[in-house]
Amino acid sequence: MSNKPDLTKFRKTLFWDTTFDRIDFTAHSRYVINRVFERGNEEEIQEVIRFYGIEPIKNEIRLDRKSPFERKIRENLEKYIY
C-alpha cells in the first residue's frame, strides 16, 4: 500500500481545517475516513475505499448520534460498504 491515496481525487476544501499537503494518511486514517464518509463525494469515497480497504474502514468509522453527519455516514456506508 502506498502511503498516500491519489490526491487528485480529493477536493482540498474537504479538509479545510488542516493543511491538505501535510495530512499523514496513514497516521490519521480515522480522521480521513470519517471526513470523507461524512462530507465526501462518490469519487472521494471510492478512493478512500481503494486506499484503505473495506475492513479498515469498518474499524475506523465512527457513528455519533449527536453528529449532524451521522445520517450521511450511515447512507454512505450502506451504499459503498455493506
Side-chain angles (χ1 to χ4, degrees), residues 4 7 10-25 28 31-32 35:
K4 286 186 180 178
L7 300 181
F10 296 100
R11 297 167 289 142
K12 289 185 178 185
T13 57
L14 184 62
F15 300 98
W16 75 91
D17 57 342
T18 191
T19 305
F20 181 77
D21 298 330
R22 298 189 70 199
I23 296 172
D24 183 332
F25 286 86
H28 300 113
Y31 162 76
V32 172
R35 178 61 58 91

Side-chain angles (χ1 to χ4, degrees), residues 2 8 10-11 23 45 55 58 60-61 70 77-78:
S2 169
T8 65
F10 296 100
R11 297 167 289 142
I23 296 172
I45 292 169
E55 288 306 314
K58 288 179 181 179
E60 295 292 345
I61 203 81
E70 193 248 352
L77 284 171
E78 289 175 15

Side-chain angles (χ1 to χ4, degrees), residues 14-82:
L14 184 62
F15 300 98
W16 75 91
D17 57 342
T18 191
T19 305
F20 181 77
D21 298 330
R22 298 189 70 199
I23 296 172
D24 183 332
F25 286 86
T26 303
H28 300 113
S29 60
R30 179 172 290 162
Y31 162 76
V32 172
I33 290 167
N34 280 282
R35 178 61 58 91
V36 170
F37 270 80
E38 69 187 20
R39 299 171 189 247
N41 61 34
E42 183 169 2
E43 182 177 41
E44 293 159 337
I45 292 169
Q46 291 290 358
E47 182 56 19
V48 162
I49 293 168
R50 185 201 64 77
F51 180 68
Y52 292 110
I54 290 175
E55 288 306 314
I57 289 171
K58 288 179 181 179
N59 292 330
E60 295 292 345
I61 203 81
R62 294 293 173 249
L63 293 170
D64 179 359
R65 292 184 188 260
K66 296 177 185 176
S67 169
F69 299 102
E70 193 248 352
R71 181 175 174 204
K72 183 66 173 174
I73 293 170
R74 282 189 190 280
E75 289 171 359
N76 283 330
L77 284 171
E78 289 175 15
K79 183 175 182 180
Y80 297 102
I81 301 296
Y82 297 110

